[in-house]
Amino acid sequence: MGVVNVTPDSFSDGGLYLDPEAAIVHGRELAAAGAAILDVGGESTRPGAEAVDAEEELRRVVPVIGGLSDIDCDVSVDTSKARVAEAALDAGASIVNDVTALRGDPEMAAVCAERGAAVVLMHMLGEPRTMQDDPRYEDVVAEVGAFLAERLEAAVAAGIGEERIWLDPGIGFGKTAAHNMELLRRLGELRKLGRPLVIGTSRKSFIGRLDGSAADERLGGTIASSVLAAAEGAEVLRVHDVAEVRQALTVATAILG
Ligand code: HH2
């Protein structure tokens, strides 16, 4: 899953693709590099980010999704607003990637159910503005797993077909570096939830915590964590650097079979 951030303030590529034409060109490059899904987002969820209103988010993502509708790639919309999801599905998206796991907007579950969209349900402790203020868990893997099981059940109860639901432990969303690494190390335990796992480690700050690297210097850490996540059973890797991660996966798969 290649990331297309149509935002001025995303933590690693904010402002690069705010212009719709630049975002469309970037999306096409990621598709050519081997992305199976393009994840188009108009609101940064980085720690401390301010919320964006629906009008502005629509203005950012709808033209980009429309401009990518002819390519041979599924398109997901990274949003927690039902209005944005609905317009994105109209414009050609088929997946809703909701970092609030359908808790952010009371209409979201119904929109996804009625439209037959696939849905990514992600774990987040708290909300982006405050989520990194001293997050605590007794057992991070057990608590994230219980949350995802509960959200999966709620989504199915709302009419979303279980076969269309993917689950994501939300690396970096209300977690310390130690929590993130424990989740990645024990990712296999979340496979018992029975749904495909999505993992987003790309350029995230836990990599920088280990070696002091800035967001644009974290490709090696992104590749290491993505390949290990795939080996633990992650089926979707949400990354900015599609060509490099794709190559790493090709080699890892060739070695391991
Ligand atoms: N991470 C980010 C955004 N959306 N969605 C899922 N399902 N999983 C993730 O790990 C995830 C996500 C944060 O990364 P990015 O989009 O690059 O940054 P920003 O939120 O600052 O735009």
Side-chain angles (χ1 to χ4, degrees):
M1 175 188 274
V3 179
V4 182
N5 280 326
V6 196
T7 61
D9 59 343
S10 287
F11 77 95
S12 78
D13 56 1
L16 288 180
Y17 312 113
L18 187 56
D19 168 49
E21 275 313 311
I24 292 165
V25 168
H26 184 58
R28 288 178 184 278
E29 285 167 359
L30 296 181
I37 304 166
L38 296 176
D39 188 40
V40 180
E43 176 176 34
S44 172
T45 49
R46 75 183 197 289
E50 289 300 330
V52 173
D53 68 39
E55 288 307 323
E56 177 59 20
E57 209 181 318
L58 283 168
R59 244 194 317 275
R60 291 178 187 174
V61 300
V62 170
V64 175
I65 293 171
L68 293 171
S69 58
D70 63 320
I71 61 170
D72 187 21
C73 234
D74 290 322
V75 173
S76 63
V77 60
D78 188 349
T79 189
S80 48
K81 297 186 186 73
R83 267 186 68 201
V84 176
E86 200 159 25
L89 294 168
D90 286 340
S94 58
I95 305 162
V96 176
N97 173 23
D98 181 359
V99 298
T100 73
L102 310 177
R103 298 172 302 156
D105 184 330
E107 307 297 323
M108 185 62 118
V111 166
C112 295
E114 278 159 25
R115 302 295 301 266
V119 181
V120 181
L121 301 175
M122 195 196 78
H123 175 271
M124 167 165 42
L125 186 68
E127 39 135 6
R129 219 164 31 80
T130 54
M131 66 189 177
Q132 290 307 106
D133 299 348
D134 196 24
R136 285 169 194 243
Y137 302 84
E138 287 277 320
D139 178 336
V140 67
V141 179
E143 286 165 58
V144 167
F147 171 90
L148 292 174
E150 185 273 320
R151 296 318 297 158
L152 173 62
E153 210 178 296
V156 171
I160 300 171
E162 185 163 356
E163 71 288 353
R164 288 189 275 116
I165 300 172
W166 305 344
L167 303 174
D168 183 338
I171 297 299
F173 285 84
K175 283 132 192 139
T176 64
H179 293 141
N180 291 320
M181 282 179 288
E182 183 155 7
L183 278 165
L184 289 165
R185 187 165 51 245
R186 295 172 52 199
L187 192 63
E189 294 176 37
L190 298 180
R191 279 157 55 190
K192 68 171 185 278
L193 295 167
R195 299 303 311 144
L197 298 174
V198 179
I199 284 286
T201 63
S202 191
R203 303 180 182 172
K204 283 186 178 169
S205 65
F206 79 93
I207 301 169
R209 294 265 147 67
L210 291 170
D211 71 349
S213 55
D216 62 354
E217 300 168 338
R218 297 177 185 157
L219 178 59
T222 299
I223 291 173
S225 51
S226 295
V227 169
L228 289 171
E232 277 294 301
E235 289 188 30
V236 179
L237 304 170
R238 181 183 182 279
V239 298
H240 302 83
D241 302 287
V242 170
E244 293 83 354
V245 174
R246 178 100 234 164
Q247 185 181 61
L249 280 178
T250 301
V251 173
T253 306
I255 294 168
L256 295 176

